Amino acid sequence: MYIIKKISQQDSQKIWEDSPNSSIFNNPKFLKKFNKIKYYAAFKGQEPFVCWPVQINEKNEMGIPYMFYYFGPFWSSKAFTKNEHSKFSNSLEIYKKFLEFFSKKFKTICFETHYTLTDVRAFDWWNYKKKKRFIIKPQYTALIKNLNQKSETEILSNYRYVRRYEIKKFEKFEKDIRLKKINFSELINIYFKTVSLKSTKKEFLKIKKTIKIIYNYAVSGLGKIIAFEEVKNKKTICILLLLFDKKSSHLIINLASEEWKKKGIVSWATHKAIMHTKKLNINKFDFNGANSPLRGDNKHSYGSKSILYFNLKF
């Protein structure tokens, strides 16, 4: 009934535009900047039901680009809104077709579901009686919803007390800092000084290239870089990088100097980013992952909800 075809970036974009599972991380316009991205779709006749972008490495393995979330299949609006009994049976058949196709074409299968696609039984049941099965790992993101329905006072009231305290306390330091424009060279230098990564030279270059693409996308108007410097010595002390899609603002990078972290700049600047998102009439603020004890707890201290998605490998 369904067949899998390779499709163009333009055709995949048409499916993405009205997909209930669309995000910046599966947006073909964004993905076209990355190497070795291919698009496949499940068709019934001439109608595409599901599009699945994949990135293939030099070992012919499917992978997830660095700093990406929800990199996997997305459904057409028409197919996704069918009756539940139809959608479930369709999903079993469609995913089976994709997995048969991918398992023959690629050495490994690796992807993540969007948080609107949490039924992973089709993957758990595939290869059911065989030794090799999917490794399915539950993951969580931290998401603030319904920003357009809340005042700033209501948003702040959902923060943990310590966040509200730090934001209020930081007001006395506002006179000592100011917004600044930041170039990519400064961003990447601060990033690698702040984030501990054990990377080979080849991996380092890949990470740098990914961040360069994300930076360019943000400064093009499809995101926002919020950076602050000390007035006295012009030293950069905090950087936040957001990317936008139709529904959400995604916090991709959040860096601050140790000195200014202790003063509370992270809480204060994160609140600024949330309010900037609201000002743009974007309804959701996604912290993009809450999967380690300290970072997860920190992200939920802004009143965000735990939202389930899955990482899958075969």
Side-chain angles (χ1 to χ4, degrees), residues 65-247:
Y66 183 67
M67 301 180 105
F68 271 46
Y69 296 82
Y70 327 129
F71 184 65
F74 53 92
W75 287 64
S76 72
S77 178
K78 183 178 178 181
F80 195 73
T81 53
K82 287 182 177 291
N83 292 330
E84 287 301 316
H85 63 86
S86 297
K87 188 165 69 174
F88 180 66
S89 61
N90 287 342
S91 69
L92 291 179
E93 188 173 351
I94 288 170
Y95 289 142
K96 181 182 177 183
K97 289 285 187 182
F98 270 118
L99 297 178
E100 289 172 346
F101 181 85
F102 288 156
S103 62
K104 291 176 183 177
K105 194 170 184 65
F106 307 123
K107 188 176 178 181
T108 62
I109 301 172
C110 180
F111 66 98
E112 289 182 344
T113 63
H114 190 265
Y115 55 74
T116 56
L117 296 170
T118 54
D119 189 342
V120 293
R121 286 175 291 177
F123 307 104
D124 189 35
W125 294 347
W126 190 67
N127 241 25
Y128 193 71
K129 294 184 179 180
K130 297 182 181 179
K131 188 174 181 180
K132 187 176 181 182
R133 300 275 301 280
F134 259 100
I135 299 170
I136 301 175
K137 185 178 179 181
Q139 301 279 79
Y140 290 88
T141 192
L143 193 70
I144 301 176
K145 297 182 178 180
N146 303 319
L147 285 173
N148 59 357
Q149 299 174 22
K150 300 172 184 176
S151 66
E152 183 172 11
T153 300
E154 289 172 318
I155 291 168
L156 279 165
S157 71
N158 288 323
Y159 294 177
R160 194 175 294 165
Y161 170 76
V162 67
R163 295 289 159 253
R164 298 197 303 270
Y165 173 77
E166 286 180 339
I167 292 166
K168 183 66 178 175
K169 184 181 176 182
F170 191 81
E171 289 176 0
K172 66 183 179 183
F173 297 112
E174 289 183 14
K175 67 181 185 304
D176 301 319
I177 66 172
R178 63 188 173 200
L179 284 167
K180 70 168 293 184
K181 289 185 178 181
I182 191 162
N183 60 38
F184 174 71
S185 179
E186 186 175 7
L187 170 64
I188 200 67
N189 286 337
I190 293 172
Y191 182 84
F192 281 115
K193 286 179 182 177
T194 307
V195 179
S196 298
L197 294 172
K198 295 179 180 179
S199 305
T200 65
K201 185 176 181 180
K202 187 176 181 180
E203 290 169 338
F204 172 87
L205 291 173
K206 281 185 177 180
I207 292 168
K208 185 176 180 180
K209 184 176 180 181
T210 295
I211 296 175
K212 176 69 170 176
I213 293 170
I214 290 170
Y215 171 87
N216 288 339
Y217 200 81
V219 298
S220 74
L222 298 169
K224 179 73 174 178
I225 298 176
I226 305 171
F228 298 94
E229 66 179 4
E230 291 182 4
V231 173
K232 188 175 181 180
N233 58 20
K234 297 184 180 180
K235 178 184 175 183
T236 302
I237 56 173
C238 183
I239 306 169
L240 293 87
L241 189 152
L242 306 172
L243 292 183
F244 308 138
D245 56 40
K246 296 179 294 182
K247 306 164 188 173

Side-chain angles (χ1 to χ4, degrees), residues 12-106:
S12 62
Q13 189 73 43
K14 292 175 185 176
I15 303 170
W16 184 89
E17 289 296 340
D18 70 345
S19 174
N21 327 118
S22 62
S23 100
I24 184 62
F25 303 108
N26 56 27
N27 182 352
K29 285 183 180 177
F30 179 58
L31 295 177
K32 71 180 182 180
K33 303 293 185 182
F34 293 84
N35 291 334
K36 299 180 181 178
I37 301 289
K38 300 178 181 179
Y39 305 91
Y40 298 92
F43 284 85
K44 183 178 181 181
Q46 298 300 311
E47 182 184 350
F49 270 54
V50 178
C51 178
W52 196 321
V54 300
Q55 186 179 56
I56 308 302
N57 66 17
E58 58 276 5
K59 297 179 181 179
N60 198 36
E61 299 168 330
M62 287 174 60
I64 300 169
Y66 183 67
M67 301 180 105
F68 271 46
Y69 296 82
Y70 327 129
F71 184 65
F74 53 92
W75 287 64
S76 72
S77 178
K78 183 178 178 181
F80 195 73
T81 53
K82 287 182 177 291
N83 292 330
E84 287 301 316
H85 63 86
S86 297
K87 188 165 69 174
F88 180 66
S89 61
N90 287 342
S91 69
L92 291 179
E93 188 173 351
I94 288 170
Y95 289 142
K96 181 182 177 183
K97 289 285 187 182
F98 270 118
L99 297 178
E100 289 172 346
F101 181 85
F102 288 156
S103 62
K104 291 176 183 177
K105 194 170 184 65
F106 307 123

